């Protein structure tokens, strides 16, 4: 498989400083195509900042992010193959979930019928709480809003998926369904995933590679194995 | 329940004090405030001079009135003018005065009486500058003219009467604005009623002016009647109180029973690609959210503004477009919708700005959709303004030339200035309590949009080539339309470099 050798994300000399404090400093980070990459770290470690820089929402002081070898600041191409959901700011709250999915689909040239077809795969995940309900997204619970955002990110069948804390606010059943869904996508579609989580259990179950971020620095880069969870717990038990 | 304690540590007093300090923090810690420090200082200086000027005007007003209307007692002249002042004041307030805001939700679960919160919100509006400014003229006038002519008690009664009418206007304006968001039909009826009164006055059928003139004359003759006029603001305050008290939970109730309004998906918009999809989205934004919707409706009223100016013009004057005022009116007639809505260009999208920046949309497509929206808004206004042609057909070339200028030049200026305004607007919450709106700062932003065409037209006017002036404005507009692609591309580039700051401000709010 040639695809494995190709770079999906390349981070070079990325530095971000807020009010004199270096909040992120990553000299080099490469994520290959098809890799499932987990990012763990305490609050303020810089996880969300890194995600935002990958999505060109935060301007780095120095350095660059390449997605499929193209600088995100110079090219718009990454938007076509990247599905992302970081927080509620990625939702349009006065739309119904159906309208939101149709809107996102239309940006990728999908017709209503194609969107509906693709959404069928998520019926378990949605648990009948999302689709065809006369409710605006702003009136949904946090957990259900989360589901809408994740599904919209997956709807476009991305090559790269970026999710910030996807398991937060989800009920236990949905957490398990989401894990199954992500594992299935990884195996069937060679999806590259970038997931952050506070929950060490989830992240070790879904990801092949886990990186620990602490105060903006990469501290450890681990290939997931049977001992990974213990290693991580040992690191965070202070 | 808090009882009646000593005034110093009265719990209600402490609570109000707390809320006031929260409000101060909310204002000074807002990203918009901190980003516009220079702007705030300039505003402060402008306000200072305004206060100074008005005070001086009030001090010498009796001399001015004496010279302007010789042979009539100055106080009587002033009394006659009061009603006209109130009418203009109300219109200005409607478009400029901010409705005081308090996000009540964080206080509702605390031991604070709901009635206190309503009183607080209403009481805060009294402190507005728009209430202080007229008094800067009227009170020195009372001292200089009324006091020497009538004595102390009549002068006090006269002042109390004037203050009452200013407060009445204050609360009437709040009531109108809140009805506009809550029940547009009630608002329309009230506005039609007020316009009707103005019409009757204009036609001389029923003179409201003689009513105020007489009541102030009575005050001067019988100062003991001083308590009658203050009843007006009290009654208006009660109306406001009832309205707010009833609607305190409105936003919460509404979301619980929300019914989804279906907006027709315009097929032709789909043909425009991503820009069309964004345009359809923006139409839903306007239709489904109270703030943009009421802004949109109230800006349509500006179309009537051109009509008012035409009625007020001297019937002897032959050439209508020969007036600079009419250029000003023309810009607003076809452009008010775009200007008002465009002031908050990106603020409307603040909640989901990150979506627009990360989904498959290029900055060019984003701006293209905004541009199409502006063309739509101006076209609606142009069609409405065709009604004005009944009054005077000569407004047609004026309106059409400025329509072209608006979509071909001003639309780009709005996009250009839009990136500097990164204020998050909450579209939904506490709809009855907040109407973050047409503040004075926004008017500074609008100056280049309105003064630009006036300044361009001025040389032609002075050379008595006004038709050529209009043609030139229209030609500029057409040029802008022809070159919209490269212009939008340039603007999109600027958005690309500014978006990080904007996204951060939207997230922080």
């Amino acid at each position: 498989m040639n695809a494995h050798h190709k770079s999906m994300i390349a981070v070079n000399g990325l530095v971000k400083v807020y009010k004199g404090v270096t909040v992120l400093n990553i000299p080099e980070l490469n994520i290959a195509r098809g890799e499932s990459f987990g990012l763990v770290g305490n609050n303020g470690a810089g996880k969300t900042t890194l995600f935002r820089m990958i999505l060109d929402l935060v301007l780095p002081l120095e350095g660059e992010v390449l997605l499929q070898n193209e600088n995100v600041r110079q090219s718009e191409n990454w938007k076509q193959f990247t599905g992302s959901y970081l927080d509620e700011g990625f939702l349009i709250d006065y739309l119904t979930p159906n309208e939101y999915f149709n809107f996102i689909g239309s940006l990728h040239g999908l017709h209503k019928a194609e969107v509906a077809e693709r959404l069928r795969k998520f019926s378990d995940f949605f648990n009948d709480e999302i689709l065809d309900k006369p409710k605006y997204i702003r009136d949904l619970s946090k957990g259900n809003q989360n589901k809408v955002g994740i599904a919209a990110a997956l709807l476009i069948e991305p090559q790269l998926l970026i999710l910030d804390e996807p398991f937060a606010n989800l009920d236990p059943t949905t957490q398990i369904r989401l894990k199954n869904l992500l594992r299935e996508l990884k195996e069937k579609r060679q999806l590259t995933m970038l997931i952050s989580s506070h929950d060490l259990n989830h992240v070790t179950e879904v990801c092949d590679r886990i990186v620990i971020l602490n105060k903006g620095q990469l501290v450890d880069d681990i290939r997931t194995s049977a001992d990974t969870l213990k290693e991580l717990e040992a690191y965070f038990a202070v | 329940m808090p009882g009646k304690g000593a005034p110093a540590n009265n719990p209600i007093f402490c609570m109000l004090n707390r809320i006031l300090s929260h409000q101060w923090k909310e204002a000074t810690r807002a990203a918009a405030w901190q980003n516009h420090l220079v702007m705030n200082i300039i505003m402060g200086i402008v306000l200072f001079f305004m206060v100074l000027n008005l005070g001086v005007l009030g001090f010498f007003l009796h001399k001015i009135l004496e010279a302007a209307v010789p042979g009539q007692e100055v106080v009587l002249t002033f009394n006659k003018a009061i009603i006209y002042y109130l009418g203009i004041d109300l219109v200005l307030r409607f478009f400029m005065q901010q409705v005081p805001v308090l996000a009540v939700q964080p206080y509702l679960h605390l031991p604070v009486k709901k009635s206190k919160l309503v009183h607080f919100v209403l009481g805060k509006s009294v402190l507005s500058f728009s209430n202080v400014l007229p008094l800067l003229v009227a009170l020195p006038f009372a001292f200089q003219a009324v006091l020497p002519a009538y004595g102390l008690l009549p002068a006090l009664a006269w002042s109390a009467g004037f203050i009452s009418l200013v407060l009445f206007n204050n609360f009437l304006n709040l009531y109108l604005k809140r009805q506009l968001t809550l029940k547009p039909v009630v608002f329309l009826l009230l506005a039609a009623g007020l316009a009707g009164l103005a019409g009757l006055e204009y036609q001389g059928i029923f003179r409201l002016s003689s009513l105020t003139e007489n009541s102030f004359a009575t005050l001067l003759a019988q100062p003991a009647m001083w308590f009658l006029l203050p009843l007006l603001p009290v009654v208006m305050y009660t109306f406001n109180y009832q309205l707010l008290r009833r609607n305190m939970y409105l936003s919460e109730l509404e979301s619980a029973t929300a019914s989804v309004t279906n907006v027709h998906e315009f097929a032709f918009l789909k043909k425009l690609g991503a820009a069309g999809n964004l345009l359809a989205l923006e139409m839903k934004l306007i239709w489904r959210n109270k703030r943009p919707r009421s802004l949109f409706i109230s800006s349509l009223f500006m179309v009537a503004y051109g009509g008012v100016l035409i009625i007020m013009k001297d019937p002897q004057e032959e050439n209508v477009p020969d007036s600079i005022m009419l250029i000003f009116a023309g810009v607003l007639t076809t452009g008010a919708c775009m200007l008002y809505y465009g002031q908050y260009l990106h603020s409307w999208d603040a909640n989901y700005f990150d979506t627009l920046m990360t989904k498959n949309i290029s900055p060019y497509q984003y701006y293209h959709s905004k541009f199409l929206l502006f063309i739509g808004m101006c076209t609606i206004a142009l069609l409405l303004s065709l009604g004005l042609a009944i009054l005077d057909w000569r407004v047609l070339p004026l309106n059409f030339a400025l329509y072209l200028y608006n979509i071909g030049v001003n639309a780009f200026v709005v996009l250009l200035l839009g990136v500097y305004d990164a204020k998050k607007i909450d579209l939904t919450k506490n709809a009855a309590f907040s109407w973050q709106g047409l503040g004075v700062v926004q008017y500074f932003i609008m100056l280049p949009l309105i003064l630009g065409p006036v300044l361009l037209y001025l040389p032609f006017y002075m050379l008595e080539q006004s038709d050529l002036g209009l043609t030139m404005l229209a030609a500029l507009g057409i040029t802008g339309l022809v070159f919209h692609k490269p212009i939008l591309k340039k603007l999109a580039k600027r958005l690309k470099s500014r978006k990080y700051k904007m996204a951060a401000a939207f997230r922080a709010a």
Side-chain angles (χ1 to χ4, degrees):
Chain A
M1 288 289 278
N2 191 22
H4 266 294
H5 303 292
K6 277 197 187 160
S7 159
M8 178 56 87
I9 305 177
V11 172
N12 296 323
L14 208 57
V15 177
K16 179 73 195 170
V17 175
Y18 273 125
K19 292 180 180 166
V21 181
T22 306
V23 292
L24 200 72
N25 183 1
I26 301 179
E28 203 190 352
L29 179 67
N30 286 299
I31 299 169
R33 229 172 250 223
E35 208 166 16
S36 53
F37 183 96
L39 197 59
V40 293
N42 289 324
N43 289 331
K47 302 189 294 283
T48 309
T49 307
L50 175 60
F51 282 3
R52 286 193 177 133
M53 280 200 253
I54 293 172
L55 293 169
D56 194 30
L57 287 172
V58 166
L59 190 65
L61 182 71
E62 281 169 35
E64 56 178 12
V65 176
L66 307 180
L67 292 186
Q68 294 195 358
N69 301 317
E70 282 188 288
N71 189 331
V72 288
R73 290 186 55 206
Q74 276 143 28
S75 159
E76 306 273 344
N77 290 337
W78 60 272
K79 291 180 180 174
Q80 283 165 25
F81 59 80
T82 307
S84 56
Y85 181 71
L86 302 192
D87 52 42
E88 300 91 78
F90 281 59
L91 298 172
I92 300 176
D93 58 0
Y94 55 82
L95 297 181
T96 65
N98 285 59
E99 286 172 335
Y100 180 62
F101 293 134
N102 285 329
F103 172 70
I104 299 293
S106 70
L107 297 175
H108 291 264
L110 298 175
H111 295 291
K112 265 188 179 176
E114 292 169 280
V115 171
E117 172 64 36
R118 287 190 184 187
L119 286 174
R120 215 170 295 158
K121 278 176 274 178
F122 301 111
S123 57
D124 267 358
F125 177 59
F126 286 154
N127 201 21
D128 282 338
E129 288 168 78
I130 306 291
L131 291 180
D132 306 318
K133 294 279 185 296
K135 252 188 176 186
Y136 294 133
I137 292 175
R138 63 182 173 220
D139 299 323
L140 298 176
S141 70
K142 273 236 169 199
N144 281 339
Q145 287 181 345
N146 234 355
K147 288 189 205 173
V148 173
I150 295 168
L154 286 168
L155 174 72
I156 61 164
E157 296 190 343
Q159 298 172 40
L160 171 63
L161 176 70
I162 299 181
L163 299 175
D164 194 12
E165 298 285 348
F167 301 102
N169 294 315
L170 294 184
D171 58 61
T173 308
T174 317
Q175 288 181 4
I176 293 167
R177 284 178 179 163
L178 177 61
K179 270 188 282 188
N180 293 338
L181 190 66
L182 292 176
R183 274 196 293 241
E184 193 188 308
L185 285 168
K186 184 172 72 180
E187 276 155 35
K188 279 194 189 154
R189 292 231 332 267
Q190 294 277 313
L191 176 69
T192 313
M193 286 192 277
L194 189 51
I195 291 172
S196 79
S197 182
H198 284 306
D199 194 311
L200 304 175
N201 258 316
H202 292 319
V203 95
T204 38
E205 277 177 60
V206 176
C207 299
D208 320 323
R209 180 182 168 196
I210 293 171
V211 159
I212 302 174
L213 202 61
N214 186 33
K215 292 179 183 162
Q217 314 269 351
L218 295 184
V219 219
D220 211 348
D221 195 337
I222 310 165
R223 288 272 147 206
T224 315
S225 65
D227 305 324
T228 308
L229 186 58
K230 280 196 177 146
E231 262 178 71
L232 289 174
E233 278 174 348
Y235 174 82
F236 283 105
V238 182
Chain B
M1 281 278 92
K4 291 225 184 300
N9 49 17
N10 182 329
I12 290 169
F13 181 76
C14 288
M15 188 277 294
L16 285 179
N17 209 358
R18 256 325 129 66
I19 298 181
L20 265 180
S21 95
H22 290 173
Q23 294 256 295
W24 174 251
K25 283 175 185 153
E26 186 190 345
T28 51
R29 291 177 184 179
W33 172 273
Q34 290 171 348
N35 289 345
H36 295 289
L37 194 63
V38 179
M39 190 70 162
N40 287 318
I41 293 170
I42 295 172
M43 287 278 299
I45 295 169
V46 170
L47 263 180
F48 175 74
F49 276 100
M50 223 152 92
V51 167
L52 207 67
N53 276 325
L54 286 176
V56 171
L57 175 69
F59 218 73
F60 294 107
L61 188 64
H62 60 291
K63 299 243 189 238
I64 300 169
L65 287 181
E66 216 166 57
V69 193
Q72 192 178 35
E73 208 202 330
V74 284
V75 179
L76 289 183
T77 315
F78 192 99
N79 286 353
K80 266 190 188 153
I82 285 177
I83 189 69
Y84 299 109
Y85 161 72
L86 288 177
I88 296 165
D89 180 63
L90 187 64
V91 173
L92 283 180
R93 277 173 192 269
F94 186 78
F95 287 104
M96 296 185 75
Q97 192 185 0
Q98 285 192 0
V99 172
V101 180
L102 176 68
V104 281
Q105 217 166 1
Y107 300 102
L108 283 178
H109 68 102
L110 299 173
V112 177
K113 275 192 184 168
K114 281 170 202 131
S115 58
K116 289 282 160 210
L117 292 173
V118 177
H119 284 306
F120 177 82
V121 169
L122 287 174
K124 201 177 133 192
S125 74
V126 174
L127 298 175
S128 162
F129 251 100
S130 35
N131 295 328
V132 180
L133 296 180
L135 300 185
L136 287 174
V137 179
L139 295 184
F141 178 77
F143 181 75
Q144 286 284 68
V146 187
L147 185 65
Y150 294 88
L152 180 63
L153 283 180
L156 285 177
W158 186 92
S159 308
F162 190 84
I163 294 171
S164 305
L165 289 185
V166 168
L167 289 178
F168 173 74
N169 248 6
N170 178 55
F171 290 121
L172 178 62
N173 173 47
L174 294 191
Y175 191 75
L176 285 174
K177 277 191 161 178
R178 293 216 160 96
Q179 286 291 18
L180 175 64
T181 40
L182 292 169
K183 289 180 191 141
V185 180
V186 176
F187 166 78
L188 285 177
L189 287 176
L190 285 172
L194 287 172
L197 278 179
L200 290 177
E201 168 86 31
Y202 178 73
Q203 298 288 338
I205 299 167
F206 172 74
R207 286 205 177 270
L208 210 57
S209 54
S210 51
L211 197 69
T212 49
E213 200 185 330
N214 289 337
S215 46
F216 274 88
T218 315
L219 276 182
L220 290 173
Q222 317 251 324
M225 309 283 271
W226 66 271
F227 58 87
L228 284 179
L229 279 182
L231 287 179
L232 284 174
V234 170
V235 169
M236 210 60 239
Y237 183 95
T238 320
F239 278 146
N240 270 295
Y241 178 83
Q242 299 284 344
L243 187 71
L244 280 186
R245 191 68 183 76
R246 247 182 291 133
N247 291 298
M248 210 155 186
Y249 292 111
L250 197 78
S251 48
E252 286 93 314
L253 281 178
E254 265 195 359
S255 58
T257 57
S259 64
V260 168
T261 49
N262 274 310
V263 174
H264 183 68
E265 308 272 348
F266 296 97
F268 70 92
L269 288 179
K270 301 269 170 206
K271 289 195 185 125
L272 294 168
N277 281 315
L278 285 169
L279 191 57
L281 179 72
E282 194 125 15
M283 280 158 66
K284 285 192 186 115
L285 167 93
I286 296 173
W287 199 246
R288 288 180 178 176
N289 294 289
K290 279 189 172 152
R291 292 263 185 88
R293 193 172 57 215
S294 34
L295 192 80
F296 182 73
I297 293 172
S298 64
S299 68
L300 285 179
F301 278 84
M302 290 305 276
V303 175
Y305 185 74
V308 172
L309 280 181
I310 290 159
I311 295 169
M312 275 166 44
K313 86 174 162 67
D314 193 323
Q316 248 76 65
E317 196 189 335
E318 263 312 304
N319 204 352
V320 178
D322 257 8
S323 152
I324 295 292
M325 257 327 261
L326 284 182
I327 295 289
F328 173 75
V331 176
L332 286 182
T333 306
T334 51
C337 239
M338 169 181 82
L339 300 186
Y340 277 180
Y341 188 81
Q343 289 174 74
Y344 306 107
L345 189 67
H346 299 294
S347 301
W348 300 124
D349 301 332
N351 275 331
Y352 51 91
F353 193 70
D354 285 351
T355 316
L356 298 177
M357 293 300 114
T358 53
K359 301 300 179 201
N360 198 15
I361 304 160
S362 71
Y364 175 80
Q365 287 166 330
Y366 179 50
Y367 269 172
H368 193 209
S369 82
K370 298 268 182 205
F371 180 59
L372 291 174
L373 179 79
F374 289 162
I375 292 183
M377 285 179 159
C378 291
T379 309
I380 291 173
L382 178 75
L383 294 178
L384 286 176
S385 77
L386 289 183
L388 296 175
I390 300 166
L391 295 167
D392 194 326
W393 67 270
R394 282 165 300 186
V395 298
L396 280 180
L398 173 85
N399 277 342
F400 195 67
L402 285 165
Y403 164 76
L404 288 173
Y405 182 87
N406 269 327
I407 58 175
V409 180
N410 269 349
F412 300 120
V413 183
V414 172
L415 291 177
L416 183 81
L417 296 174
V419 292
Y420 296 105
D421 180 50
K423 215 169 21 171
K424 184 167 177 167
I425 287 192
D426 200 327
L427 297 169
T428 51
K429 273 182 198 138
N430 308 306
F433 271 80
S434 65
W435 213 81
Q436 250 173 321
L438 307 155
V440 181
V441 179
Q442 252 63 35
Y443 274 73
F444 278 88
I445 299 172
M446 277 167 76
L447 279 181
L449 296 161
I450 294 170
L451 287 185
V454 173
L455 289 179
L456 287 170
Y457 177 76
L458 202 59
F460 292 92
Y461 172 72
M462 293 199 287
L463 294 170
E464 298 189 2
Q465 296 283 336
S466 44
D467 286 348
L468 196 65
L470 278 187
T471 315
M472 186 264 315
L473 288 179
L476 276 177
I478 292 170
T479 316
L481 284 176
V482 170
F483 292 107
H484 76 272
K485 259 192 184 165
I487 298 174
L488 286 178
K489 271 190 184 143
K490 261 247 143 42
L491 290 168
K493 255 195 187 149
R494 258 177 68 269
L495 177 69
K496 277 189 87 165
S497 60
R498 285 278 310 171
K499 71 173 183 179
Y500 308 101
K501 264 196 179 156
M502 294 162 69
F506 291 147
R507 253 181 254 125

